[in-house]
Amino acid sequence: MDIFIKNIVDLLKAEIPLSEEEIKGLIEIPPDLKMGDFAFPCFAVAKQLKNNPGKISAELAQKLPISDSITDIKSQGPYLNFYVSKEMIFKTVLDEIFTESDFYGSSDSGAGKTAVIDYSSPNIAKHLAVHHLRSAVIGNAIYNLYKTIGYKCVGINHLGDWGTQFGQLIVAFKRWGPDLKGQDSIKETGLDISKLNELYVRFHKEAKDNPSLEDEARDWFRKLEGGNEEAIETWQYFKDISLSEFERVYEKLGIKFDSYAGESFYNNMLNDTVKRIKDAGLSEVSEEALIVNLEEYDMPPCILRKKDDASLYATRDICAAEYRKREYNFDKMIYVVGSEQRLHFKQLFKVLELMGYEWMSDCIHVDFGLVKFKQGKMSTREGKVVLLEELLVESCKIAEEIIDGKNADLENKAEVANDVGIGAIIFSELSTKRVKDVMFDWNEILNFDGETGPYVQYTHARLCSVLRKCGGTVTNEVDYDVFKEDDELLLVKKLESFPLTIIRSAQNCEPSILSKYLLDLCSTFNRFYQHHRILIDDTELKMARILLVDSIRQVIKNGLSILGLKAPERM
RNA sequence: GCGCCAGUAGCUCAGCUGGAUAGAGCAUCAGAUUUCUAAUCUGAGGGUCGGAGGUUCGAAUCCUCCCUGGCGUACCA
């Protein structure tokens, strides 16, 4: 399509006092097919030409020559509308998709560069709940997007496996946990994540009446950081229990990480980091804590060490950033973390800047809105959560029931039910812009009609079905001149914008751009499918439509795969 | 109090760097299946784009103020 734009620019630059770049920037796509394929708004040059836009447009329409590629130029009010050769559009686009297949949409703008993506990063010793879904799913999609535009990606699950809360858990475990029979290790206690959760909730309940528990907890965390054997053994046990559960859920979601280096991983590097900050003269002691004063940047201080000398998450994040730069030498580091931590990241980036790290400008906080209940914010502390695994199981169950009702003989029913059930959940997380807070609603997230993952998957299955029935031979050796329907033109134009959609989606770290695109493509196809037959007697038209169908199938498949959804061929 | 983010149809949301008539889905109602999967499609109703100013040929989009909601605001993450 760039070819057409270049042609138009070439035509215009002779008549208009603007540079090629300026003209190119002004060219837009008209809202309706009737208005042509490209448009140039003449407002922009009205002043310079001392004429009104309508007249300029009318004069240009008369003056400019048409050609094989630009088949018509019309003036419509202040707009100059260009009509390009439909045959060339179809040929260019469908040929490209046919040739590139699984790689259609990929580009190499990130070739040779590395992106580190920090996502999911839950606190251990708790179940994964529905509010953990967003970071994981968004991060995974961003990982795939960057990979698609050529980056080497490193996915990091920065586990929250360190901090005062583990002091709290140890206290709770010692007070109310299972009795140790003296022999063997604590691994014999049969603790699971639910029991850990109960201990956590109980701690916060009891600490309200008995604040000394908090002191006790801080003391245990200090011991943990100091390497106390009992503390470490208990903590490691908690971590093992948690990870086995997490991995099961990630597996279901199809989400992977290249590294599980969590907060604890940096424990023995913390001193060096703090020393560097001290030596740079950035830190000071205030109210017994070691801080970096950020007053002149209108921010509260970044606390490096509490008054009892224990570290905080900010300390560990600074340390982790340094480590990742050393280890991966990233060109971009993306933190997929909720928007309630905005200030934290602002402080973190400021401290990195003050430390003299120019690469801090490569770090971005990709934030997202809260998941809320009607009753208010979810809180693990109060035990008010919907478990993620429970949601996934429920969704797959519903998917299976629907299949039983529609396509009971489906061969790999369980597998497809799983793909669709999980797909529904993932897609619903990715279909609105990140910044929006979302209200958790069972009915909404388990809806399989309308703008949903199953809708996209269903459309894909339909396309596959048509291709099966046509005998399976798809060729790009077709007569591109047989496409006459508006719906076909809309489809091919939509297909053409796929690579650009991916780039925009990646650059904005906004998977919803791609989700919306897929919904739009599917709805355009379903409309076409309803009104026009594909498997018809007219062989020329049939072969051309089959190529179009196959191209749509390919783009949906590529898009779903980036978002982290499976594309079943039957459902 | 201060800071950040959001406010578009009854509900959930699109609307690219300002551009042609503000669009979908859900829900409601009315339709479409001897024909490629009805998890689909067609149609109807439904809007002071939170409010008021301003910039501009032109504003849902940019600026200012106000209202409402969410989040954050030194030893949690």
Side-chain angles (χ1 to χ4, degrees):
Chain A
M1 296 302 262
D2 287 347
I3 298 171
F4 299 120
I5 293 180
K6 194 176 177 310
N7 284 342
I8 293 169
V9 171
D10 285 343
L11 287 175
L12 286 170
K13 72 178 179 193
E15 309 293 334
I16 283 176
L18 292 177
S19 72
E20 288 190 24
E21 280 305 306
E22 285 170 318
I23 296 172
K24 196 176 169 191
L26 285 168
I27 290 175
E28 52 190 73
I29 313 279
D32 193 294
L33 280 184
K34 289 194 280 291
M35 301 172 180
D37 304 296
F38 299 96
F40 181 78
C42 298
F43 315 102
V45 290
K47 266 187 191 158
Q48 292 171 69
L49 295 176
K50 297 203 171 84
N51 203 343
N52 75 61
K55 278 189 183 157
I56 298 172
S57 152
E59 282 169 20
L60 285 173
Q62 280 230 297
K63 209 167 183 180
L64 298 178
I66 57 169
S67 60
D68 287 346
S69 57
I70 310 290
T71 55
D72 202 1
I73 301 172
K74 283 185 190 162
S75 163
Q76 192 164 344
Y79 286 91
L80 189 60
N81 292 335
F82 295 84
Y83 297 73
V84 309
S85 158
K86 303 297 175 271
E87 189 182 351
M88 281 177 73
I89 295 180
F90 280 102
K91 181 162 170 47
T92 319
V93 176
L94 298 184
D95 230 14
E96 189 176 341
I97 299 172
F98 186 81
T99 312
E100 297 184 3
S101 60
D102 282 351
F103 295 99
Y104 181 65
S106 299
S107 56
D108 56 4
S109 54
K113 295 187 195 163
T114 299
V116 166
I117 301 143
D118 177 330
Y119 54 107
S120 190
S121 310
N123 291 330
I124 64 165
K126 299 175 202 171
H127 283 109
L128 289 175
V130 293
H131 61 276
H132 288 112
L133 195 54
R134 299 201 83 188
S135 174
V137 164
I138 293 170
N140 188 243
I142 291 175
Y143 184 105
N144 293 335
L145 280 166
Y146 272 82
K147 216 170 163 189
T148 307
I149 63 168
Y151 277 79
K152 173 179 184 280
C153 293
V154 183
I156 300 181
N157 193 340
H158 189 66
L159 293 169
D161 59 359
W162 209 242
T164 318
Q165 50 172 328
F166 294 97
Q168 296 168 347
L169 267 174
I170 293 171
V171 170
F173 178 76
K174 290 179 77 73
R175 286 189 170 234
W176 312 300
D179 287 333
L180 291 175
K181 298 264 156 50
Q183 85 285 26
D184 298 332
S185 72
I186 56 171
K187 305 203 175 182
E188 307 294 316
T189 56
L191 207 61
D192 64 16
I193 204 156
S194 295
K195 297 212 177 81
L196 272 180
N197 238 318
E198 283 167 24
L199 288 173
Y200 186 72
V201 171
R202 180 158 178 192
F203 178 90
H204 283 282
K205 224 171 84 187
E206 305 236 358
K208 270 184 192 165
D209 305 324
N210 183 6
S212 72
L213 284 174
E214 297 278 9
D215 295 331
E216 216 177 301
R218 272 190 284 272
D219 196 43
W220 270 107
F221 177 56
R222 210 176 36 75
K223 284 186 194 165
L224 183 60
E225 277 204 306
N228 173 290
E229 209 172 294
E230 184 184 0
I232 292 205
E233 190 194 8
T234 315
W235 166 81
Q236 184 63 50
Y237 179 48
F238 295 161
K239 189 170 167 176
D240 291 345
I241 292 170
S242 305
L243 276 187
S244 66
E245 151 138 347
F246 290 179
E247 274 165 1
R248 194 175 64 237
V249 177
Y250 289 138
E251 165 84 31
K252 274 193 177 140
L253 282 168
I255 290 176
K256 290 201 177 79
F257 301 92
D258 301 304
S259 161
Y260 276 83
E263 296 190 57
S264 65
F265 178 79
Y266 302 98
N267 189 36
N268 57 17
M269 304 174 214
L270 250 33
N271 282 335
D272 287 347
T273 294
V274 172
K275 187 167 183 303
R276 268 189 292 279
I277 298 172
K278 266 188 185 163
D279 291 350
L282 298 171
S283 62
E284 58 185 72
V285 175
S286 168
E287 297 173 29
E288 294 175 77
L290 184 69
I291 66 160
V292 178
N293 191 322
L294 298 173
E295 215 167 318
E296 66 175 292
Y297 309 102
D298 292 317
M299 285 186 267
C302 176
I303 301 173
L304 301 171
R305 293 232 183 255
K306 301 194 275 193
K307 62 184 169 196
D308 65 3
D309 215 36
S311 71
L312 282 100
Y313 71 128
T315 331
R316 301 188 283 270
D317 268 358
I318 297 166
C319 184
E322 288 184 304
Y323 171 83
R324 290 169 184 177
K325 185 63 189 178
R326 282 198 305 274
E327 182 72 15
Y328 305 111
N329 193 26
F330 57 77
D331 299 276
K332 208 170 191 65
M333 174 150 69
I334 298 169
Y335 293 94
V336 185
V337 180
S339 53
E340 69 272 20
Q341 292 199 37
R342 272 184 112 115
L343 177 60
H344 165 67
F345 283 101
K346 238 178 108 183
Q347 292 175 300
L348 170 64
F349 297 159
K350 179 53 80 178
V351 172
L352 292 173
E353 183 190 335
L354 294 174
M355 290 174 81
Y357 296 131
E358 282 168 20
W359 47 262
M360 77 88 205
S361 57
D362 301 322
C363 302
I364 34 173
H365 174 207
V366 170
D367 62 341
F368 53 84
L370 241 53
V371 179
K372 291 183 295 187
F373 280 136
K374 286 183 181 124
Q375 301 83 359
K377 191 180 167 177
M378 289 198 192
S379 163
T380 36
R381 292 192 180 184
E382 294 160 43
K384 259 186 0 194
V385 286
V386 173
L387 300 188
L388 183 46
E389 198 165 19
E390 187 189 338
L391 174 67
L392 299 181
V393 168
E394 182 65 16
S395 186
C396 295
K397 208 180 93 194
I398 293 177
E400 185 150 7
E401 282 166 10
I402 295 176
I403 294 172
D404 277 333
K406 294 173 187 289
N407 198 356
D409 301 330
L410 192 63
E411 274 178 38
N412 46 349
K413 198 159 67 178
E415 189 190 330
V416 173
N418 201 62
D419 292 348
V420 174
I422 301 293
I425 302 292
I426 293 179
F427 197 89
S428 90
E429 286 296 330
L430 296 178
S431 58
T432 67
K433 287 199 301 190
R434 300 179 336 245
V435 291
K436 299 268 182 186
D437 284 348
V438 291
M439 188 73 86
F440 180 81
D441 182 336
W442 283 99
N443 292 331
E444 208 170 298
I445 200 163
L446 295 179
N447 178 26
F448 288 25
D449 298 328
E451 297 178 324
T452 64
Y455 174 74
V456 179
Q457 290 171 318
Y458 173 74
T459 308
H460 178 266
R462 263 185 157 178
L463 288 153
C464 288
S465 174
V466 173
L467 291 166
R468 273 196 304 273
K469 298 215 160 130
C470 84
T473 44
V474 181
T475 168
N476 61 339
E477 305 279 317
V478 304
D479 180 359
Y480 291 95
D481 202 27
V482 295
F483 293 111
K484 299 295 179 202
E485 302 292 338
D486 281 355
D487 281 343
E488 292 163 340
L489 185 57
L490 283 172
L491 278 167
V492 77
K493 285 190 171 193
K494 199 73 205 166
L495 293 174
E496 189 271 335
S497 63
F498 182 62
L500 199 63
T501 301
I502 287 175
I503 288 170
R504 260 209 322 135
S505 197
Q507 279 172 346
N508 295 301
C509 292
E510 188 59 273
S512 71
I513 294 175
L514 179 53
S515 315
K516 290 287 177 200
Y517 168 89
L518 289 177
L519 288 172
D520 199 16
L521 175 62
C522 289
S523 123
T524 310
F525 169 73
N526 281 318
R527 190 169 58 241
F528 171 78
Y529 182 85
Q530 195 75 20
H531 300 295
H532 305 283
R533 290 195 55 79
I534 295 150
L535 305 177
I536 46 177
D537 293 337
D538 179 343
T539 314
E540 289 299 312
L541 185 55
K542 181 173 82 178
M543 290 316 286
R545 283 189 172 165
I546 283 169
L547 177 63
L548 179 63
V549 162
D550 188 55
S551 305
I552 300 164
R553 175 201 61 76
Q554 183 73 59
V555 168
I556 292 176
K557 184 176 162 223
N558 295 1
L560 284 178
S561 147
I562 290 171
L563 294 178
L565 277 80
K566 295 278 178 45
E569 297 187 2
R570 299 173 204 253
M571 63 186 267

